[in-house]
Amino acid sequence: MPELPEVERLRRTLVRALTGARFDHVRLNRADLRAPFPPGFARALRGQRVRALRRRGKYLLAELVSGDILIMHLGMSGWFRVEKTTPRARRRRDPNRDLETRHDHVVFSMSSGKTVTFNDPRRFGVMDLVAANHLAGHRTLGRLGPEPLSRAFDADALARRLSNRRISLKAALLDQRVVAGIGNIYASEALHHARLSPFRLASTLAGARHTARDARERLVDAIKSVLRRAIALKEGDRARAARFRVYEREGEPCPTPGCRGTIARAWQAGRSTFYCATCQR
DNA sequence: GCTGTAACCTGTCGGC
DNA sequence: TGCCGACAGGTTACAG
């Protein structure tokens, strides 16, 4: 599932196809994803040139020379495919290929000679086009918490956002207003890395006592470390067994050195949580 | 205002 | 083999 590391890696791939290029043609294969495309979406994009491709949390933001911003969110199953543009007549029908392209919802033909296709079987993705000066007021982007890999995200910033929050730590990490870009997988991973129970009340990390301060410093370090490591993974390292310490490892021994616990699974905030009850407190 | 939960959606997997 | 239900998860809407 695309969380911050996956979106960042995708951004680095898309930069080459999009930056400096113009949208020669935009094809929408349906009228909506999770929400309808804004009126005139394809027409408004056509002819526009991409100045830069940024990421904010799990959102990809294509800054256009005109000052508009193309907002893209992958949802649960969205992904982009980059291919060299080929004339339609030369494409041959291929049943496997048809299966792969069944959920191609948006096709960008770029002046770079690349075709960038958005494929999203579950259609939880989002695309929107807004003026740059409306970005801060955007209903979701405008409320996002700090970027976890930025200097702005430190123990003090975390304390401010967890203060008075009477929800679990796991639920807090999933709240994009607390910190942007973490999803179900990396929330479990970071909490295990920090040796903090996913069931602990979020506000207990906001206190002035040194134990609370120590815990939130561990959590900030764990979040940064887990995300950086995931971003740095190469294509060949993507096997889940190599990537995750607790996620989808129910029943396996806890990987923390010296811990004799077993990874358990619980249902929390409507999501699966993987944790070790022995070393996560 | 805050919190928890259902709903959206479709591919996959296990059980029958 | 085929059908059916459960499950996965990011975000939003809604109820309490």
Side-chain angles (χ1 to χ4, degrees):
Chain A
M1 301 302 154
E3 299 182 27
L4 186 152
E6 290 76 24
V7 177
E8 176 58 25
R9 284 199 302 255
L10 178 61
R11 187 193 70 80
R12 293 175 187 184
T13 299
L14 291 178
V15 155
R16 290 191 286 274
L18 294 182
T19 308
R22 192 182 58 236
F23 290 92
D24 279 345
H25 186 73
V26 176
R27 191 173 83 228
L28 305 182
N29 291 334
R30 52 179 303 123
D32 62 351
L33 294 171
R34 189 166 72 216
F37 291 101
F41 176 75
R43 198 174 53 247
L45 271 181
R46 215 167 292 147
Q48 296 232 44
R49 195 175 287 278
V50 179
R51 179 162 50 200
L53 185 64
R54 291 197 297 124
R55 179 193 54 72
R56 178 78 175 93
K58 299 173 196 171
Y59 289 84
L60 284 169
L61 306 176
E63 295 179 359
L64 308 178
V65 169
S66 66
D68 289 343
I69 310 268
L70 168 60
I71 300 172
M72 298 170 280
H73 192 289
L74 304 171
M76 299 276 304
S77 57
W79 205 250
F80 283 94
R81 204 172 60 242
V82 180
E83 298 160 303
K84 196 173 170 190
T85 303
T86 52
R88 190 177 263 274
R90 283 169 52 195
R91 290 185 197 142
R92 286 192 308 190
R93 283 193 68 76
D94 172 348
N96 292 327
R97 175 81 174 154
D98 288 349
L99 202 63
E100 183 189 329
T101 61
R102 191 196 311 174
H103 300 291
D104 286 355
H105 304 312
V106 184
V107 182
F108 298 134
S109 300
M110 306 302 296
S111 64
S112 60
K114 297 286 171 60
T115 295
V116 178
T117 303
F118 181 66
N119 181 286
D120 185 6
R122 294 183 194 173
R123 296 212 309 274
F124 282 11
V126 168
M127 284 204 193
D128 201 0
L129 189 62
V130 301
N133 57 0
H134 288 165
L135 205 57
H138 192 266
R139 60 192 157 82
T140 49
L141 269 164
R143 299 191 305 175
L144 286 181
E147 276 295 312
L149 296 179
S150 71
R151 285 188 183 179
F153 182 62
D154 58 16
D156 290 341
L158 184 63
R160 284 194 294 276
R161 288 170 191 274
L162 296 184
S163 173
N164 297 323
R165 294 299 303 269
R166 303 200 58 78
I167 54 175
S168 68
L169 263 185
K170 171 76 183 307
L173 292 187
L174 292 178
D175 186 342
Q176 302 299 298
R177 294 168 300 179
V178 172
V179 54
I182 296 176
N184 198 44
I185 295 172
Y186 294 105
S188 283
E189 292 293 310
L191 287 168
H192 180 263
H193 203 276
R195 307 189 311 279
L196 290 169
S197 168
F199 307 105
R200 185 165 163 171
L201 199 62
S203 58
T204 64
L205 260 67
R209 295 173 64 163
H210 82 276
T211 49
R213 198 168 57 238
D214 177 60
R216 61 181 179 259
E217 281 174 358
R218 284 207 315 273
L219 183 55
V220 166
D221 288 348
I223 289 169
K224 289 178 188 280
S225 163
V226 161
L227 294 179
R228 281 204 186 102
R229 206 176 305 166
I231 290 171
L233 277 180
K234 297 186 183 120
E235 287 292 334
D237 301 332
R238 300 271 175 87
R240 290 206 155 178
R243 291 174 65 193
F244 304 129
R245 288 157 54 113
V246 293
Y247 185 75
E248 288 189 335
R249 285 179 173 273
E250 182 184 12
E252 295 183 27
C254 175
T256 299
C259 178
R260 295 186 173 189
T262 302
I263 302 305
R265 176 188 191 149
W267 190 249
Q268 195 182 17
R271 297 284 178 265
S272 287
T273 293
F274 296 86
Y275 68 104
C276 171
T278 303
C279 67
Q280 289 181 251
R281 296 289 171 174

